[in-house]
Amino acid sequence: MNYGFATKCIYGNGKDYDKDKTGAISFPIYQTATYAHPAVGESTGFDYSRLQNPTRQQVERVVAALEGGVDALAFASGMAAITAMMELFQPGDHLITDGDLYGGSIRLFDRVSEKNGITFSHVDCSFVDIESFIQKNTKAIFIETPTNPMMNIIDIRKVSDIAKKHHLLLIVDNTFMSPYFQNPFELGADIIIHSGTKFLGGHNDTLSGFIVTNSQELADRLRFLIKTVGSGLAPFDSWLILRGIKTLPIRMEKAQENAKAVVEYLLKEPKVLNVYYPGIEGTKGYEICRSQARGFGSMLTFEVESKELALHMLKSTKLISFAESLGGTETLLTYPATQTHADVPEQIRIRNGITDRVLRLSAGIEDKNDLIADLEQAFSSFEKEYNKE
Ligand SMILES: *Cc1c(COP(=O)(O)O)cnc(C)c1O
């Protein structure tokens, strides 16, 4: 069935979920490790939950439908998904990755994958000549767009043309936009990664990760990997992500509306030096983002006057929590320098613009006036503290 996006969020590509014929509207949680076989050599299609579990299969079907992929695999976390994906590569292989990635991905590549004989070139894919970094042993390009946390926009179609010309896999971590705003397969990607912990789950309560592919050959290799490495998503957590996805479209719209309101406010705040959000007209990524995505998302980054002010903001907001993560119902403020990007070498961190004056905000779905009032009181209490001295 060719359902619309919001319908797919609830049913996937079809309403075939009522396996046990009870009529349950909510997909059941199959909390089982193993399954009885009808006879020797026969299987119900389910043998052992490391390989297959009906609840996990349902969330995989829904995510595959949302990205237009042939298959999706659900893992215990985004990092578990990326770790399993790296098993597609061999010692001696080389990957090109964007220089401004999720900190955990950089840590995996530099501290684990390198040890396993895979090498990397971290390059700014939003403006450098990627082609000049391609070596004989290059196998893939790995990007996120918008980048984390600097919100640079990478032209997915352009990178895909280069990848196709050199027979490289293009892997896109689509966590920041979610499938609601951006579908990288339509732009030439081969593999899509999601940290389902973020927008898909959407409630800051469950970890999960996905690998989505649009090739059956890759899907088969990945199915072998999930069964072998054993980091598949648990039944209950699969159910929580299924429930989260049902409201993805309305959460994304509301969170984006809030992000836009916060951006407007921050642009007028004199103590804010820079605001990074792809939806600001006239900025570098605006037109590219418009051409490849259906929105600008709800993530934004801003630079304040001083490190002291940044630290003050983190301890002074009352509604907004100072916490890692993003994409949930609650607005969170993150300090990339010591949180998400603490493991990125300082020199690279500063070069990417992640100074100790930079804060990242993930807009939730609260009332936007309450978010702005909270930021306002935090900024003005710094003034009071400062004037006292
Ligand atoms: C959070 C995140 C990850 C890692 O996902 P976990 O679920 O935390 O393991 C990977 N990529 C991006 C862009 C993320 O934001």
Side-chain angles (χ1 to χ4, degrees), residues 151-169:
M151 307 304 293
N152 296 317
I153 299 293
I154 299 172
D155 190 330
I156 302 176
R157 288 187 189 91
K158 224 156 116 186
V159 179
S160 157
D161 288 345
I162 296 169
K164 291 212 162 44
K165 185 169 149 201
H166 295 271
H167 309 289
L168 313 179
L169 287 176

Side-chain angles (χ1 to χ4, degrees), residues 339-351:
Q339 289 186 299
T340 49
H341 290 66
D343 281 342
V344 178
E346 187 176 350
Q347 191 190 339
I348 296 175
R349 185 163 59 71
I350 303 292
R351 190 199 63 202

Side-chain angles (χ1 to χ4, degrees), residues 77-79 102 144 173 175-176 195 197-198 208 326:
S77 70
M79 288 319 301
Y102 177 69
E144 287 170 25
D173 181 335
T175 300
F176 265 37
S195 167
T197 314
K198 315 298 167 53
S208 66
L326 59 114

Side-chain angles (χ1 to χ4, degrees), residues 49-68:
S49 278
R50 175 154 34 75
L51 286 63
Q52 322 94 346
N53 176 278
T55 319
R56 187 166 79 219
Q57 186 179 71
Q58 180 65 11
V59 75
E60 291 175 339
R61 283 180 175 167
V62 170
V63 171
L66 298 186
E67 285 292 12

Side-chain angles (χ1 to χ4, degrees), residues 199-228:
F199 292 102
L200 296 176
H203 292 72
N204 290 320
D205 58 13
T206 312
L207 295 184
S208 66
F210 294 87
I211 307 177
V212 198
T213 170
N214 58 359
S215 115
Q216 192 56 51
E217 187 253 322
L218 277 174
D220 293 343
R221 288 170 69 192
L222 290 163
R223 286 273 155 215
F224 168 81
L225 286 170
I226 198 169
K227 126 175 145 186
T228 305

